């Protein structure tokens, strides 16, 4: 009886080992022809991140060997951190699960006073699409600012949502670090309410993404000659904003430069697609290559342009370097940023 039990155990172990070897030997195309991909979106359906995910999904599937179906699953909460934490800790790492991340997920672990169970260095990034830059614009009078000095000395009342939002934080940093003369009026619920406040004369303008000014009511303002850019927040000047002063032109010292760089790098992250940290290297390489091909697909680019979104992309390898840079920011710089933001 004991001998039979031993032989049975050996047989079972052999089958398990054979199965594991077979799985390890499975090609990327074989794996994805037999398995769908679940794409977890860390925001609610209908928002901009959800739009990017659902638009990207069929193009990504087109270029992944095996052409798996990609099933989008929304899991909103905590500014995308619920999905981000699951990506890092509990999502299957065989390549059948990927997730979208929010830009703030790269900096929240450093800036938040609460515990954040996510580290952007611990997952593998596939790529991001839809780079953004922020601008300050005025309506309806043309402020006539052609230099950064004129922009900093220009007095404006800016509508904003809340103290934690970029449309409040960026102007705040201009005032605190560069001597700007911007008066911030927070408390507006969103884009539409801010636009109404500007039209009613409660504010002169606001800060927001450049792509936001390329659609809807703001685009109409621009076409009517009523929207005037005062300042751009960009590591490199946006090609469509030639002549608009860049905040970096006003920076004189290294600490201020590092603060603005820390705050502005996430703008270039766009909509981020990532995989668990333990994903097999060959499947990660296939996903990264497929992402670049999808982002360069004329059909995808056309869909981005129709929506008024930027089609420019960042590779997964570049995102890994960005995660390392941001998380490696000296504590003194992080503490200064937190003090500035909390002072809002």
């Amino acid at each position: 009886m004991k001998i039979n039990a031993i032989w049975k155990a050996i047989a079972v172990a052999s089958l398990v080992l054979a199965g594991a070897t077979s799985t390890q030997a499975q090609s990327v195309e074989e794996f994805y022809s037999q398995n769908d991909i679940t794409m977890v979106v860390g925001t609610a359906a209908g928002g901009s991140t959800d739009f990017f995910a659902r638009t990207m999904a069929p193009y990504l599937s087109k270029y992944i060997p095996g052409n798996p179906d990609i099933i989008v699953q929304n899991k909103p909460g905590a500014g995308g951190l619920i999905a981000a934490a699951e990506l890092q800790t509990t999502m299957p790492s065989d390549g059948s699960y990927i997730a979208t991340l929010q830009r703030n997920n790269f900096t929240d672990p450093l800036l938040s006073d609460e515990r954040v169970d996510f580290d952007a260095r611990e997952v593998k990034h596939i790529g991001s699409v839809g780079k953004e830059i922020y601008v300050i614009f005025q309506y309806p009078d043309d402020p006539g600012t052609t230099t950064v000095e004129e922009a900093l000395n220009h007095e404006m009342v800016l509508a904003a949502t809340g103290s934690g939002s970029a449309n409040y934080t960026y102007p705040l940093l201009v005032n605190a670090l560069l001597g700007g003369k911007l008066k911030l009026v927070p408390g507006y619920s969103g884009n539409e309410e801010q636009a109404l406040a500007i039209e009613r004369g409660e504010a002169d303008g606001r800060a927001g993404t450049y792509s936001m000014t390329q659609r809807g009511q703001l685009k109409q303002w621009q076409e009517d000659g009523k929207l005037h850019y005062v300042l751009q927040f960009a590591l490199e000047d946006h090609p469509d904003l030639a002549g608009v002063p860049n905040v970096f032109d006003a920076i004189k010292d290294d600490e201020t430069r590092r603060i603005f760089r820390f705050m502005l790098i996430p703008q270039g992250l766009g909509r981020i697609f990532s995989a668990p940290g333990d994903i097999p290297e060959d499947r990660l390489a296939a996903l990264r290559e497929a992402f670049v091909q999808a982002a360069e697909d004329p059909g995808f680019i056309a869909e981005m342009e129709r929506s008024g979104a930027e089609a420019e992309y960042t590779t997964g390898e570049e995102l890994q370097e960005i995660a390392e840079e941001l998380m490696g920011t000296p504590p003194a710089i992080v503490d200064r940023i937190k003090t500035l933001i909390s002072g809002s």
Side-chain angles (χ1 to χ4, degrees):
M1 291 293 289
K2 289 184 178 180
I3 293 175
N4 287 339
I6 291 171
W7 279 111
K8 184 179 290 187
I10 291 172
V12 170
S14 298
L15 288 172
V16 171
L17 180 62
T21 302
S22 174
T23 299
Q24 291 171 359
Q26 196 175 30
S27 71
V28 172
E29 184 171 4
E30 288 171 335
F31 176 79
Y32 282 118
S33 66
Q34 299 169 21
N35 294 276
D36 295 336
I37 293 177
T38 298
M39 180 187 289
V40 178
V41 177
T43 63
S48 59
T49 300
D50 182 67
F51 165 77
F52 273 85
R54 293 180 187 275
T55 304
M56 170 59 76
Y59 292 97
L60 193 59
S61 172
K62 175 181 176 181
Y63 292 106
I64 296 173
N67 307 118
D69 289 334
I70 297 180
I71 303 162
V72 177
Q73 179 185 103
N74 295 88
K75 187 168 287 189
L81 283 170
I82 290 178
E86 289 188 8
L87 177 72
Q88 182 174 318
T89 57
T90 61
M91 281 186 193
S93 59
D94 60 357
S96 63
Y97 272 74
I98 61 178
T100 65
L101 299 177
Q102 301 288 82
R103 301 183 191 93
N104 59 287
N105 299 156
F106 275 60
T107 55
D108 279 350
L110 294 173
L111 297 180
S112 177
D113 291 327
E114 299 179 2
R115 176 178 171 178
V116 176
D117 295 321
F118 178 71
D119 185 330
R121 297 170 295 186
E122 299 300 319
V123 298
K124 295 297 177 63
H125 302 294
I126 298 167
S128 70
V129 67
K131 292 184 177 182
E132 294 278 16
I133 72 162
Y134 261 73
V135 294
I136 291 176
F137 65 82
Q138 179 165 329
Y139 166 104
D141 297 327
D142 186 346
T145 54
T146 58
T147 68
V148 71
E149 291 78 15
E150 290 173 340
L152 294 178
N153 289 318
H154 183 61
E155 297 183 7
M156 291 179 62
V157 176
L158 300 182
T161 49
S163 59
S165 62
N167 62 42
Y168 190 94
T169 300
Y170 289 163
L172 173 75
L173 294 178
V174 169
N175 287 345
L177 297 174
L178 301 175
K181 295 179 171 60
L182 305 170
K183 181 179 179 181
L184 299 168
V185 182
Y188 295 99
S189 62
N191 293 336
E192 291 185 7
E193 190 172 341
Q194 289 176 85
L196 284 173
I198 292 169
E199 286 186 318
R200 290 194 299 258
E202 296 173 13
D204 300 311
R206 60 165 295 193
T209 62
Y210 172 68
S211 64
M212 178 185 70
T213 69
Q214 301 303 296
R215 55 182 181 265
Q217 184 179 16
L218 299 187
K219 183 178 182 181
Q220 188 62 53
W221 286 1
Q222 189 173 37
E223 291 174 351
D224 293 342
K226 296 179 179 179
L227 188 149
H228 309 285
Y229 297 107
V230 177
L231 194 64
Q232 60 176 307
F233 297 79
L235 300 179
E236 297 178 358
D237 288 356
H238 193 285
D240 295 343
L241 296 173
V244 177
N246 190 327
V247 68
F248 271 89
D249 297 334
I251 298 174
K252 307 300 183 184
D253 64 282
D254 184 62
E255 181 176 291
T256 301
R257 186 173 300 277
R258 296 195 73 163
I259 289 171
F260 272 99
R261 180 172 174 81
F262 179 91
M263 297 298 293
L264 299 188
I265 282 177
Q267 290 185 156
L269 300 183
R271 275 28 179 196
I272 305 155
F273 298 84
S274 303
D278 292 333
I279 182 175
E281 287 297 326
D282 58 343
R283 294 172 194 171
L284 174 64
L287 291 175
R288 285 177 168 174
E289 183 177 352
F291 177 86
V292 171
Q293 291 175 302
E296 294 179 348
D297 188 290
F300 178 77
I301 293 172
E303 290 199 51
M304 291 295 98
E305 290 176 347
R306 281 195 296 271
S307 72
E310 297 278 354
E312 195 175 356
Y313 67 88
T314 302
T315 67
E317 293 86 350
E318 290 170 329
L319 288 173
Q320 296 293 159
E321 293 178 1
I322 288 170
E324 291 289 342
E325 177 181 346
L326 289 173
M327 292 299 293
T329 302
I333 297 295
V334 174
D335 290 343
R336 182 81 194 283
I337 293 170
K338 292 175 70 173
T339 298
L340 289 166
I341 294 175
S342 65
S344 64

